[in-house]
């Protein structure tokens, strides 16, 4: 199994989770993070670190977020989505976006 970053991360991109990851499985895109399923060891230490509750064990992904399983796989392998291993400042408007639903249209691939 792996862990999955879901829609809550879009336009927030808090990076607290990357500091605790022992295998550096996070990949960074323009406005979201994803988890590389080939690297994730299912340790779950990232889950409580996410301030927007965007990370789930694959088997616990909410039914309305199941598309993010494939999105994580695809984007983890996409050109330009590089490994991120250190915390960075969140985007200036992250707090404005963290509670907004329906952010999939905002995802920059």
């Amino acid at each position: 199994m792996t862990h999955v970053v879901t829609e809550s991360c879009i336009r927030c991109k808090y990076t607290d989770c990357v500091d605790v990851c022992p295998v550096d499985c996070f990949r960074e895109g323009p406005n979201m993070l994803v988890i590389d399923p080939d690297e994730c060891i299912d340790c779950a230490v990232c889950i409580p670190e996410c301030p927007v509750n965007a990370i789930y064990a694959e088997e616990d992904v909410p039914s309305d977020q199941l598309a993010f399983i494939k999105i994580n796989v695809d984007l983890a392998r996409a050109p330009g989505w590089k490994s991120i291993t250190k915390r960075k400042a969140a985007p200036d408007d992250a707090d404005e976006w963290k509670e907004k639903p329906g952010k999939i249209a905002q995802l920059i691939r």
Side-chain angles (χ1 to χ4, degrees):
M1 284 287 119
T2 187
H3 283 75
V4 177
V5 180
T6 59
E7 185 175 41
S8 297
C9 186
I10 299 171
R11 300 249 359 213
C12 291
K13 201 167 85 167
Y14 295 104
T15 57
D16 306 52
C17 52
V18 302
D19 272 346
V20 298
C21 182
V23 295
D24 302 333
C25 68
F26 284 90
R27 304 294 178 261
E28 180 182 21
N31 67 350
M32 180 182 179
L33 302 177
V34 296
I35 293 174
D36 184 335
D38 294 333
E39 299 293 328
C40 181
I41 59 170
D42 200 29
C43 68
V45 296
C46 57
I47 293 174
E49 298 303 315
C50 181
V52 293
N53 300 313
I55 304 171
Y56 293 87
E58 184 176 358
E59 64 271 14
D60 296 332
V61 173
S63 61
D64 67 333
Q65 300 289 300
L66 290 173
F68 281 90
I69 296 171
K70 184 171 180 357
I71 289 170
N72 276 244
V73 171
D74 292 346
L75 295 180
R77 297 180 179 125
W81 286 67
K82 305 285 186 205
S83 179
I84 178 173
T85 60
K86 300 276 187 216
R87 184 184 305 195
K88 295 181 177 180
D92 291 339
D93 63 348
D95 287 341
E96 297 170 34
W97 282 94
K98 70 181 183 181
E99 300 293 327
K100 291 188 179 185
K103 297 191 289 184
I104 187 69
Q106 299 292 318
L107 177 58
I108 299 171
R109 296 174 191 245

